[in-house]
Every structure is written in C-alpha cells, then in structure tokens.
Amino acid sequence: PRSTLFPYTTLFRSREIRMPLLQPFETSFGRTTERRILLVEVESEGVTGWGECTAGEHPSFSGECTDTAWLMLTNELIPAVLHSEIDSAGACPKAMSHVRGNRMAKAALENAVWDAESQQLGIPLWELLGGVRKKIPCGVSLGIQSSTEKLMEIIEQELAAGYQRIKLKCKPGHDVLMFEAVRTRWPDIVLSCDANGSYRLKDQELLRSFDVFNMLMIEQPLWHNDFYFHSLLQRQLETSICLDESIRNRRDALAAIEMESCRIINIKLGRVGGFSEAIRVHNVTAERGIPAWCGGMLETGIGRSHNIALSSLQNFILPGDVSASARYWEEDIIEPAVEVSRKGEISVPQVAGRGFEVKRERVEKLTVRSERLHARNKAHAEPTGAIKARA
Ligand code: OSB
Ligand code: MG
C-alpha cells in the first residue's frame, strides 16, 4: 500500500542508550556485560517509528559496531533517506544503496520507517510485513557459563518457564563434555548449539562426534563468511548445519541452499539489513523448503517487538531466539514487557504498529548522545546538528 510517509515535516533522531545486562553474555568471540545500543526515531505526520541497531560494542560478530553504525546513520544513511522521495518503507534500501555493507545501521533506519508506516496505515506491523502467525514458538540462547553446574541450573529454570528449545553457545574446549552432561540429564529436550564460527576443518572429527547428542542443529560451526567449507562439512554430519553469520541477503541464502551448506537458516533483521531483505530471505527459504527461525542480538524491547512481527511470517517454523524481556533487563524500554507463556510462546499483538509502547522517559534517562536531522518537505531537506556544522 502507498503511504503518505514524508509529505511535510519529518524528523529523524539517532541516539545511543546504555543498558546493563542482568547477566553477562559470553560467546566464542567475547563477553558482553553492558549494551551500547543505537535507536533511530522517525517522527512524521503525528506518528513516531522506532528502530534498533543490533551492532555490538565491538566489531566481532560482523564488521559493524555501535560507533561505526552511529557514523553511518548520521553522516550517510539518515541524510540519504531524508533527501529521497520515500513513499513506503520498502523504498529505503534503494535510497541507501550508495552505501555498501553497514547492514545493521541500515536496518535500524529502515525498520523505524516500517514501524512508522504501519502506524500511519493503522495496521499491525506484522500485517504490513505479510505475517500470518498469531503465536510464535520461543527458545533461549545460553551463553558460555563458568561451570556446568551453573549451566544446568539455568537450563532447569528455562525449561520450567516453558521454552521449547535450548541453544548452547560452544567453542573448541567447551563442547562435548557440556553436551554430555546436558543430554544425560535431559535426553529428550530440543537442543542445539552455536559456535559463532569458532571451529576449523581440522575439527571435522570432533564435529562429527556431536551427532550422538541428537541436536536439532549446529549453528555456524566454521568461518563467519564461508559457504563452501560448510557444504563439505554438512556432507559429513548427520546433524543439520544452520547458518547465521554467513547469510547477508537473499542471494547468500540461495547460494547456501544450492550448495547444501546448511539445512536450516537463522534470519536476523540487523544482519540482513532490515525488514525488506529479511522478507526476501524468508521467501527464498519458504520456496526451497528450508526451515527458518528468527535470531536475536540481545535486543531491547524495540528490536524485540520487530523480531516478533517478523517471526509471524509463515516459514518461521522453528523456535526463535526471541524470548522474554525479563531474561535480559531489569526494566525494558517498552510496555508491556515481552512475556512468554508457559507453553513457550509469544502472542503477536493485535493492534496497530509494533504493539508495545516505548517508555520515552526511560529512554531519555538512558541516552548518552543524540542527534536530530529534519526535513520540512521532500524538496527542501534541512539537516541540523553535526551535518549542518560540516556544511
Ligand atoms: O549468534 O545468535 C548469535 C547474541 C549476540 C551475538 C550473536 C548471537 C547472539 C545470541 C543471543 O545467540 C540471542 C539472544 O538471546 O538475543
Ligand atoms: Mg548465531
């Protein structure tokens, strides 16, 4: 549907907030205790759309980090979108196409525009995206723990809460013994692991030995940017490989599927550059009969609400890494907080927009820097702040 997104005054604001995690989160590439998160706000025609940047504090998951995303948003992406004639959120990728890469920065901006557009149209965001599911199945991703005992305690808690799948972060030296302990105690739960690219081809025999644990999948065992060696490895394994880091867009998904580099695909909004590309990746997995699920990046409620909307698309068949706000934050920046039922499901909100209010006062309190850019109308964009200072 055509939207009247930017006919008159449009205001963009980028800001950084700091949020301590309730528990540190450790992966094969590092440990996070406090998140530095960029939010993008677009105000137009009486609605406010929000987007969240999933870049980490360090460029270790992808080449992006909070600071590079800030630079791209304020110097390149927001001015580009302000100066182009956007009549729907789906037009954002083209308006930003002069910038290579930087997909997490692009996603924060594009997703804010989708959020605004759904409010202007008065329909739920998930409906604008083409979603169909009313409830989405949820799993949890558990970081590397200091001891197996601690890990077992947490798993017990998450299973009691109803989560449908347990994913264990792993790396060389932090794998078989942990899987053995977990499988001995829980022979039948749906289990998976995520190596974040920490194994090498010389570890083939070790990775083959994971087959006895009957896991649903092993996520990104090899290099973050590889397809070919994953296809060789997949031939050697009974367990399905799921690719995360490797899949940047629809073309990557198609290449991975055709090369049989994986049998399952994790879709993350930030990693693929926003809702437009996420839908395209989703569609190709659906066409090819490859189960998809929605990944997580330790998001606040804004990114979380967008993950919920995306997860309502038909081929998000497997439980995602989208879970309750209370697992991450003492207090989320949305209300109500995201909650998960005893069956391990999130109900997709049946109201216009993202379906969760942003707690503006709390966001203001958490803000450590912000910048405004605005345009009076399509023809006369008027940058402010740093952009104006450079002009
Ligand atoms: O690989 O899925 C990943 C968190 C940060 C970076 C990468 C990953 C993750 C997670 C956490 O697994 C998922 C979540 O609970 O948000
Ligand atoms: Mg992953």
Side-chain angles (χ1 to χ4, degrees), residues 161-273:
Y163 286 103
Q164 298 182 18
R165 182 224 64 204
I166 302 288
K167 161 172 142 184
L168 306 174
K169 289 289 188 182
C170 66
K171 63 179 180 182
H174 244 96
D175 44 36
V176 176
L177 288 180
M178 169 174 68
F179 302 147
E180 242 162 35
V182 173
R183 260 302 177 231
T184 303
R185 175 110 169 248
W186 293 284
D188 299 321
I189 59 169
V190 182
L191 194 64
S192 70
C193 66
D194 186 356
N196 288 110
S198 56
Y199 294 91
R200 295 295 171 256
L201 276 187
K202 64 173 164 46
D203 302 315
Q204 264 200 50
E205 280 314 303
L206 175 64
L207 292 164
R208 257 153 83 108
S209 77
F210 294 5
D211 278 342
V212 300
F213 302 113
N214 190 27
M215 289 192 271
L216 175 62
M217 63 192 138
I218 168 168
E219 194 176 332
Q220 200 73 37
L222 305 176
W223 300 268
H224 68 94
N225 55 0
D226 170 77
F227 297 108
Y228 176 64
F229 294 104
H230 278 97
S231 80
L232 297 186
L233 177 62
Q234 180 66 94
R235 287 189 216 169
Q236 306 295 319
L237 302 182
E238 275 172 39
T239 309
S240 293
I241 291 176
C242 169
L243 289 179
D244 174 357
E245 284 90 329
S246 291
I247 308 294
R248 300 162 301 179
N249 50 43
R250 178 188 185 275
R251 218 161 27 75
D252 282 348
L254 192 51
I257 294 167
E258 300 233 318
M259 293 173 74
E260 299 182 44
S261 307
C262 63
R263 302 189 194 122
I264 297 176
I265 288 181
N266 165 334
I267 303 179
K268 286 180 176 166
L269 278 169
R271 197 195 65 223
V272 304

Side-chain angles (χ1 to χ4, degrees), residues 110-183:
E110 190 197 319
N111 294 353
V113 178
W114 280 94
D115 192 291
E117 184 173 10
S118 66
Q119 294 172 56
Q120 284 202 343
L121 295 170
I123 61 172
L125 175 58
W126 61 264
E127 197 179 314
L128 183 60
L129 302 173
V132 290
R133 295 173 184 275
K134 297 274 186 291
K135 288 184 171 163
I136 64 164
C138 308
V140 289
S141 170
L142 304 181
I144 293 170
Q145 303 296 320
S146 50
S147 73
T148 306
E149 291 70 45
K150 181 84 208 294
L151 175 67
M152 307 276 266
E153 259 173 52
I154 298 170
I155 295 175
E156 183 149 31
Q157 213 175 292
E158 304 293 14
L159 290 172
Y163 286 103
Q164 298 182 18
R165 182 224 64 204
I166 302 288
K167 161 172 142 184
L168 306 174
K169 289 289 188 182
C170 66
K171 63 179 180 182
H174 244 96
D175 44 36
V176 176
L177 288 180
M178 169 174 68
F179 302 147
E180 242 162 35
V182 173
R183 260 302 177 231

Side-chain angles (χ1 to χ4, degrees), residues 34-109:
E34 186 185 48
R35 300 278 349 261
R36 292 178 54 204
I37 296 171
L38 302 187
L39 301 177
V40 174
E41 213 178 322
V42 53
E43 238 176 81
S44 184
E45 308 307 295
V47 303
T48 303
W50 290 84
E52 174 169 344
C53 181
T54 65
E57 294 67 37
H58 301 282
S60 316
F61 174 82
S62 74
E64 291 184 84
C65 63
T66 309
D67 290 315
T68 67
W70 176 270
L71 204 69
M72 287 301 145
L73 280 162
T74 55
N75 284 10
E76 299 282 346
L77 302 172
I78 295 175
V81 168
L82 269 176
H83 288 258
S84 43
E85 305 216 348
I86 300 290
D87 60 15
S88 71
C92 285
K94 194 171 162 222
M96 300 188 286
S97 63
H98 69 292
V99 176
R100 281 198 184 157
N102 295 282
R103 291 181 303 280
M104 290 173 174
K106 288 175 178 172
L109 174 50

